[in-house]
Amino acid sequence: GDSVTQMEGPVTLSEEAFLTINCTYTATGYPSLFWYVQYPGEGLQLLLKATKADDKGSNKGFEATYRKETTSFHLEKGSVQVSDSAVYFCALSDQGTGRRALTFGSGTRLQVQP
Amino acid sequence: ETGVTQTPRHLVMGMTNKKSLKCEQHLGHNAMYWYKQSAKKPLELMFVYNFKEQTENNSVPSRFSPECPNSSHLFLHLHTLQPEDSALYLCASSQGERGEETQYFGPGTRLLVL
């Protein structure tokens, strides 16, 4: 079945540091890939997505590139801020299976210190 | 973000109680979802509804009973729950047919079963 693997957290960085959160996946069909963010006390918000190989999703300074050859969708940001502290979830939606539900990774907590 | 609302935000119930969670989406979407978010576990899909019809039940125990009276409202009826059912229950909605569409999440109901 489909699965998503994320790096374990928490990730602790100083403000303005470079961020990478690794995400790899396995899928039987042709997945779309997503990064969601969950701020404390809130639900999940879409951060960015990519629907086919080599697409790059970007939003709020975050980027991720759909790499089919390495089955990866790593999240990056060049300079993090304290306000980026949250839990980040990588997810996929496998169009080939016909399922509409998302398969999520376990989440990575990011803590940015001033 | 008020596109998907959930009530109540917090709920404490005993194992013999009956309660219901409510979700409402104001986005005109045709699909709605229930997810369970437990500590240290990936988000787990529970149910999917498409145009009011249940299209997926992810082996959820019968003590959880969903209801979707129309495309805008989704309920989760709870009965004789167990302490291990304590979690954050998230509702989401989406529009589309192919599975790559974005899911929009509500803020969740944090449930504590005593």
Side-chain angles (χ1 to χ4, degrees):
Chain A
D2 297 345
S3 67
V4 176
T5 302
Q6 286 182 241
M7 60 190 292
E8 296 260 345
V11 173
T12 303
L13 296 174
S14 298
E15 208 165 19
E16 300 184 2
F18 184 86
L19 168 70
T20 300
I21 300 179
N22 290 337
C23 171
T24 57
Y25 66 89
T26 58
T28 55
Y30 307 98
S32 294
L33 302 173
F34 305 80
W35 276 101
Y36 280 83
V37 58
Q38 186 176 31
Y39 298 102
E42 299 183 14
L44 277 69
Q45 303 174 25
L46 177 71
L47 182 59
L48 53 85
K49 73 176 187 180
T51 58
K52 62 182 187 295
D54 300 325
D55 270 0
K56 177 185 284 187
S58 61
N59 185 28
K60 299 181 181 179
F62 291 90
E63 293 184 338
T65 301
Y66 188 142
R67 301 286 188 200
K68 188 175 180 182
E69 63 276 13
T70 55
T71 61
S72 65
F73 193 55
H74 304 321
L75 182 68
E76 296 182 336
K77 186 174 185 183
S79 177
V80 294
Q81 305 301 312
V82 172
S83 58
D84 294 326
S85 298
V87 181
Y88 293 81
F89 293 90
C90 185
L92 70 81
S93 175
D94 197 339
Q95 302 170 52
T97 63
R99 293 184 73 227
R100 299 189 64 171
L102 293 170
T103 299
F104 284 90
S106 56
T108 302
R109 182 175 300 278
L110 170 66
Q111 298 173 336
V112 180
Q113 299 175 337
Chain B
E1 175 60 58
T2 58
V4 181
T5 58
Q6 290 187 244
T7 55
R9 293 293 307 273
H10 301 272
L11 178 63
V12 180
M13 60 186 289
M15 290 190 285
T16 59
N17 293 156
K18 290 184 182 180
K19 296 287 185 183
S20 295
L21 310 185
K22 178 182 176 182
C23 175
E24 183 173 1
Q25 58 97 357
H26 311 273
L27 302 169
H29 291 167
N30 58 13
M32 297 188 76
Y33 311 76
W34 279 116
Y35 287 88
K36 176 182 178 182
Q37 185 177 26
S38 305
K40 304 191 181 204
K41 291 177 68 175
L43 272 79
E44 302 171 73
L45 176 72
M46 300 177 74
F47 303 102
V48 181
Y49 278 81
N50 189 27
F51 291 105
K52 303 188 299 179
E53 299 298 321
Q54 187 180 121
T55 56
E56 191 157 346
N57 176 339
N58 198 25
S59 302
V60 180
S62 59
R63 58 186 183 268
F64 294 91
S65 175
E67 178 189 2
C68 189
N70 54 61
S71 292
S72 298
H73 293 86
L74 184 65
F75 295 89
L76 188 63
H77 303 299
L78 314 174
H79 176 52
T80 59
L81 295 191
Q82 304 299 311
E84 60 264 30
D85 296 322
S86 299
L88 181 67
Y89 289 86
L90 292 165
C91 174
S93 70
S94 68
Q95 174 68 25
E97 299 291 337
R98 296 174 55 195
E100 83 278 14
E101 69 271 15
T102 298
Q103 292 186 19
Y104 293 84
F105 284 80
T109 295
R110 186 160 297 282
L111 173 66
L112 177 62
V113 181
L114 300 176

